Amino acid sequence: MAINFTLIKECKQSGARLGRLDTPHGRVNTPVFMPVGTQATVKTMTPEELKDIGVEIILSNTYHLYLRPGHEIISGAGGLHKFMNWDRTILTDSGGFQIFSLNALRQIKEEGVYFTSHIDGSQHFIGPEEALNIQNHLGADIIMAFDECVAYPADYDYAKTALKRTTRWAKRCKEYHKREDQSLFGIVQGSMYKDLRELSARELTELDFPGYAIGGLSVGEPKDIMYDILEHTIHFLPQDKPRYLMGVGTPDCLIEGVIRGVDMFDCVWPTRVARNGTVMTGRGRIIVRDAKYKKDFSPLDENCDCYTCRNYTRSYIRHLIKAKEVLGIRLTTIHNIHFLIKLMKEVRQAIQEDRLLDFRKEFYNNYLN
């Protein structure tokens, strides 16, 4: 097996899990937030900057890399690690979410999905075997089974149909997968229906994957529904294997997910909002491009020790963003990624000390007020 997950302890106060994930490219301490490098780069940041922040694992996107530059080119470069100069752990998603987000540009069949490229209008097909072949070429440490992610809200019958198809595709992925240096995770679906989530989890755990992702959440549903479905689903996943909640990355969702037993998270949110001038601070979010920061010569967050906050002011960063200078969004991105990596480090420490619920209360008192 390419990865080895060790459950170190559970928080006595919350039940949250502290663990470590050993992969061919190093150790990942969990719970962990994975910055998203959609096109083999975390936007505006170098691998060296990510390492300085403490990033141990990043995610890249199969759909986008398949279309451009192509998995054969990346394979020819020696795989994704060498291609992007990242010698730590990489996870690639299956491309399923992006394909199913194309709506009118795709057609779902039992064999897979026919779709039109959003780049040039060319026609393509990806099924379970193709998704695994692409990811085998990319060479990530952790790869994902091809699944069907349904929109919210979803009709019960369609959600069940998609779930059963996801299970059949997961079996095909496992049969096709041969690389021993890559670990293949299954993805639990079932929309917002508890019985379907249980059914999906039971069917996938019978296939004995080395890890399990929970997909189809954070797709537009209210957070209380997401937390309820997550809390229900997690009970049907193995204790001794990593659990990955896909597409979640706001501070409150990370903390709530950890409390409910999640080990891994990813999301484009922190880098996306950074490009719009929104940053996280210990006192909540601020939009640094707003006029009130024009003469504010304090750092983004006075309690932050990231490169941005050690060297630059809100006034200067606002100027850069208003002037459309790339450095502005580089600085906000560095700060936001640093904020979440530091938050997860504090969460792990709180689990170690059996005080995660207390930590949540303290964090919310400052961040949400």
Side-chain angles (χ1 to χ4, degrees):
M1 186 181 297
I3 66 165
N4 182 57
F5 178 70
T6 303
L7 181 58
I8 297 173
K9 73 164 292 179
E10 294 184 350
C11 175
K12 293 178 182 177
Q13 191 181 65
S14 66
R17 295 147 55 94
L18 185 71
R20 63 173 178 264
L21 187 64
D22 290 298
T23 81
H25 285 88
R27 175 166 294 178
V28 178
N29 293 292
T30 63
V32 64
F33 173 75
M34 302 180 286
V36 176
T38 301
Q39 308 204 59
T41 176
V42 177
K43 291 188 187 299
T44 78
M45 294 188 67
T46 67
E48 291 75 19
E49 289 167 338
L50 293 168
K51 289 180 181 180
D52 287 344
I53 288 173
V55 174
E56 298 173 332
I57 177 173
I58 61 174
L59 178 146
S60 285
N61 182 260
T62 295
Y63 166 81
H64 288 282
L65 295 178
Y66 159 73
L67 290 178
R68 184 173 54 195
H71 53 287
E72 296 94 346
I73 290 176
I74 294 174
S75 179
L80 193 53
H81 289 89
K82 290 186 177 180
F83 187 63
M84 66 185 296
N85 189 33
W86 178 256
D87 59 5
R88 297 185 180 181
T89 303
I90 298 176
L91 181 150
T92 48
D93 62 16
S94 69
F97 178 79
Q98 285 72 28
I99 292 172
F100 294 111
S101 297
L102 294 173
N103 294 321
L105 298 178
R106 48 82 169 160
Q107 187 176 24
I108 305 169
K109 300 287 188 178
E110 181 61 29
E111 63 268 24
V113 183
Y114 298 85
F115 64 96
T116 302
S117 166
H118 72 284
I119 298 173
D120 60 11
S122 56
Q123 300 300 305
H124 299 268
F125 170 79
I126 292 181
E129 293 80 11
E130 289 76 14
L132 263 290
N133 180 55
I134 296 167
Q135 293 183 84
N136 288 162
H137 276 78
L138 296 177
D141 304 278
I142 301 171
I143 63 177
M144 307 304 297
F146 197 56
D147 65 319
E148 180 177 354
C149 179
V150 298
Y152 173 83
D155 173 78
Y156 180 91
D157 289 338
Y158 187 82
K160 186 172 184 179
T161 297
L163 176 165
K164 301 298 286 188
R165 183 182 289 121
T166 291
T167 300
R168 293 192 296 273
W169 284 356
K171 291 178 181 178
R172 287 166 57 185
C173 285
K174 188 166 186 183
E175 290 172 0
Y176 183 89
H177 182 52
K178 296 295 186 293
R179 282 190 61 165
E180 295 183 355
D181 60 341
Q182 293 180 307
S183 288
L184 173 66
F185 283 22
I187 305 178
V188 176
Q189 291 291 348
S191 188
M192 307 304 153
Y193 302 101
K194 290 184 177 180
D195 61 325
L196 296 186
R197 287 285 173 175
E198 178 180 348
L199 175 62
S200 179
R202 292 190 184 282
E203 289 184 347
L204 290 175
T205 53
E206 287 180 2
L207 298 176
D208 193 28
F209 288 101
Y212 295 89
I214 300 169
L217 292 181
S218 191
V219 291
E221 77 280 6
K223 286 184 179 179
D224 59 338
I225 294 179
M226 179 180 76
Y227 296 151
D228 186 40
I229 295 297
L230 174 61
E231 194 163 342
H232 178 79
T233 304
I234 212 84
H235 295 299
F236 302 101
L237 298 180
Q239 280 278 338
D240 60 345
K241 295 183 178 181
R243 304 156 170 177
Y244 163 30
L245 178 57
M246 308 180 81
V248 168
T250 58
D252 55 333
C253 288
L254 292 177
I255 293 172
E256 296 298 335
V258 170
I259 287 172
R260 288 162 176 79
V262 176
D263 307 300
M264 305 166 67
F265 304 83
D266 83 281
C267 196
V268 299
W269 180 82
T271 52
R272 177 177 290 164
V273 299
R275 298 193 294 279
N276 296 322
T278 299
V279 295
M280 293 169 278
T281 77
R283 296 291 178 181
R285 301 180 203 173
I286 66 169
I287 303 174
V288 73
R289 71 170 185 271
D290 286 354
K292 64 181 177 179
Y293 299 112
K294 186 175 184 178
K295 297 181 180 180
D296 188 338
F297 304 113
S298 62
L300 293 175
D301 187 342
E302 292 181 351
N303 295 316
C304 179
D305 63 353
C306 78
Y307 170 80
T308 301
C309 291
R310 293 197 314 269
N311 293 284
Y312 301 100
T313 66
R314 295 175 176 183
S315 174
Y316 179 63
I317 295 169
R318 176 184 184 273
H319 156 68
L320 293 175
I321 291 175
K322 297 292 285 186
K324 301 188 185 305
E325 288 288 347
V326 173
L327 180 58
I329 61 175
R330 272 180 43 74
L331 294 176
T332 54
T333 301
I334 288 170
H335 172 80
N336 276 354
I337 296 297
H338 179 277
F339 186 93
L340 292 186
I341 296 301
K342 181 182 178 183
L343 172 63
M344 297 307 283
K345 184 177 180 180
E346 292 171 344
V347 164
R348 291 194 297 270
Q349 185 65 32
I351 296 172
Q352 182 67 53
E353 297 171 0
D354 297 310
R355 57 174 185 86
L356 185 56
L357 298 184
D358 293 338
F359 174 85
R360 175 177 65 175
K361 182 178 180 180
E362 295 164 5
F363 181 82
Y364 283 2
N365 283 342
N366 292 318
Y367 188 81
L368 299 180
N369 289 341

